[in-house]
Amino acid sequence: MTRLVVVGASLAGLRAVEAARRTGFEGEIVLVGREPALPYDRPPLSKRYLVGEAEVDFYKTEEEIRDGLGVDLRLGVAATGLRPGDHVLETDAGELAYDRLILATGASPRMLPGVPDLDGIVTLRNLEDSDDLRRRIRPGSHVIVLGAGFIGSEIASTARKLGAHATVVEGAPVPLVRAVGDVVGAALAELHPRAGTPLRLSTTISAFHGIDGRLASVELSTGETIPADVVVIGIGASPATSWLDGSGIVLDERDGGVRCDATLRTSLPDVWAAGDIVHWPNAVYGRTMRLENWTNASDQGMRAGANAADPDRALPFETVPYFWSDWYERRIQFVGIAAGEVEYVSGAPGDDRFVAVFIDDDRVVGAATLDEPRKIMKLRGLISRRAGRAAVLDLVQPQLVT
Ligand code: FAD
């Protein structure tokens, strides 16, 4: 019987398994995951779960995975190596032979080099991290978030909600430039001071000071020292691929992500990949991308699962990227890519709501919205149909178009 092994028991991995079964794959499926928990939803870990307003959202029960999907679920097991010539996955619980393999090991938070070993310096990626951070954020405590990216900004917002003092420290003059461009990045950054959270741009942490092994304060590159009970390092994540060292798989030179073709096949025979670890050519934009968002991991997991289940009928994966983020009770949404010229087609920076579109060569390639949830999916549709500027104006400002 053909054995499909999926490494990484989270969003992309689970979606891959579901899609393989939907495609009619009747062989054996083994799902291997390092975390002891059943697959769960990560976005609430910096938002409603961290605040204490939501329980852990498991995607499926153990019975649904084992009996419903017919999966041999191996949690608490880490992949440690891959021998593609032998079709063997090495794990800390022994070797596992595969006929087909899907890699879905996600990403791990980047750590600042040279950080001292002090209690109170943390990162956030998984349930355990969120539980640990929740215990540390108390009313009146001083929380420093290093990095004004989406997750860092969500944590600062959550800390404020929990009654802590939060300060966001960001090395760049404008945050989020890679994700949403400098114009929208600057508009979103303003949400921090507007909510009363100090935002220190073009600033880094130059030293951490502790008392008896516990963090007590940090020194900023400006020379100031500020009290700190917890520092959350939120400077991005890198693909979790170090375990593939020596396997011969082609990885991206810059960030170590797995290089795939349009059908999410890796450079190794019978091995596909999905989710945060993947670089692949996205035909919608004619460029190679790696995305770190929920919708991509889910959709890509489904495509990789279907392609691995039936390689002869593999289809390319194409997408208009979409992600959301919630800070200070506001919903930020983004579709497409941040390229070309930005035009605010509804509202303006500083307003409570806005719609900004990215126009490249008279074609709409991306859109960012603040508290305009009903518009975003329509914009995504327009972008995937390669609509021009007029179609967007018609959607956003119908009364202005004759
Ligand atoms: P992951 O979810 O990271 O799963 C990878 C799994 O593989 C993990 O369980 C990991 O333990 C396991 N693994 C790693 N190495 C090994 C190994 N060697 N052996 C076995 N298992 C291994 N996206 C949005 O669009 N909107 C949001 O608001 C949003 N909020 C987020 C908030 C937080 C705090 C985080 C961390 C992410 C957020 N995201 C958000 C991003 C989204 O959750 C990720 O893009 C998505 O989880 C990626 O799915 P994945 O399956 O590729 O990787």
Side-chain angles (χ1 to χ4, degrees), residues 184-207:
V184 175
L188 296 180
E190 275 302 302
L191 296 176
H192 290 297
R194 272 166 67 190
T197 304
L199 170 65
R200 311 298 304 272
L201 295 172
S202 304
T203 305
T204 64
I205 295 177
S206 45

Side-chain angles (χ1 to χ4, degrees), residues 88-306:
V88 163
L89 178 76
E90 295 168 353
T91 79
D92 58 6
E95 295 188 347
L96 189 57
Y98 65 84
D99 297 296
R100 300 176 201 162
L101 178 68
I102 298 176
L103 312 175
T105 46
S108 317
R110 263 182 229 130
M111 221 343 154
L112 207 60
V115 168
D117 185 18
L118 289 174
D119 184 37
I121 305 174
V122 301
T123 56
L124 173 59
R125 181 74 195 181
N126 58 36
L127 197 50
E128 205 183 318
D129 299 335
S130 185
D131 288 337
D132 174 62
L133 185 56
R134 180 68 185 87
R135 280 190 291 271
R136 294 172 185 276
I137 303 178
R138 299 177 181 281
S141 63
H142 293 271
V143 178
I144 315 292
V145 177
L146 180 66
F150 286 108
I151 292 177
S153 295
E154 289 173 356
I155 294 167
S157 160
T158 299
R160 292 287 312 286
K161 200 165 176 180
L162 290 168
H165 303 282
T167 302
V168 180
V169 176
E170 164 63 48
V174 179
L176 297 167
V177 172
R178 209 165 53 93
V180 299
D182 51 356
V183 174
V184 175
L188 296 180
E190 275 302 302
L191 296 176
H192 290 297
R194 272 166 67 190
T197 304
L199 170 65
R200 311 298 304 272
L201 295 172
S202 304
T203 305
T204 64
I205 295 177
S206 45
F208 297 82
H209 299 299
I211 299 170
D212 295 335
R214 279 193 61 85
L215 180 71
S217 63
V218 293
E219 203 175 305
L220 302 182
S221 51
T222 53
E224 280 167 272
T225 295
I226 54 176
D229 299 300
V230 52
V231 170
V232 187
I233 311 281
I235 56 172
S238 304
T241 53
S242 57
W243 65 276
L244 288 162
D245 284 355
S247 66
I249 195 168
V250 175
L251 300 178
D252 185 77
E253 288 158 6
R254 282 159 307 155
D255 68 7
V258 176
R259 288 217 158 243
C260 293
D261 71 8
T263 65
L264 306 175
R265 216 181 235 281
T266 72
S267 61
L268 299 177
D270 306 315
V271 183
W272 289 258
D276 283 9
I277 61 168
V278 166
H279 286 265
W280 96 110
N282 183 357
V284 176
Y285 292 99
R287 58 165 87 165
T288 295
M289 300 184 168
R290 184 175 76 81
L291 302 172
E292 285 180 15
N293 66 58
W294 194 97
T295 306
N296 179 67
S298 174
D299 294 350
Q300 222 171 45
M302 285 192 251
R303 178 46 45 213

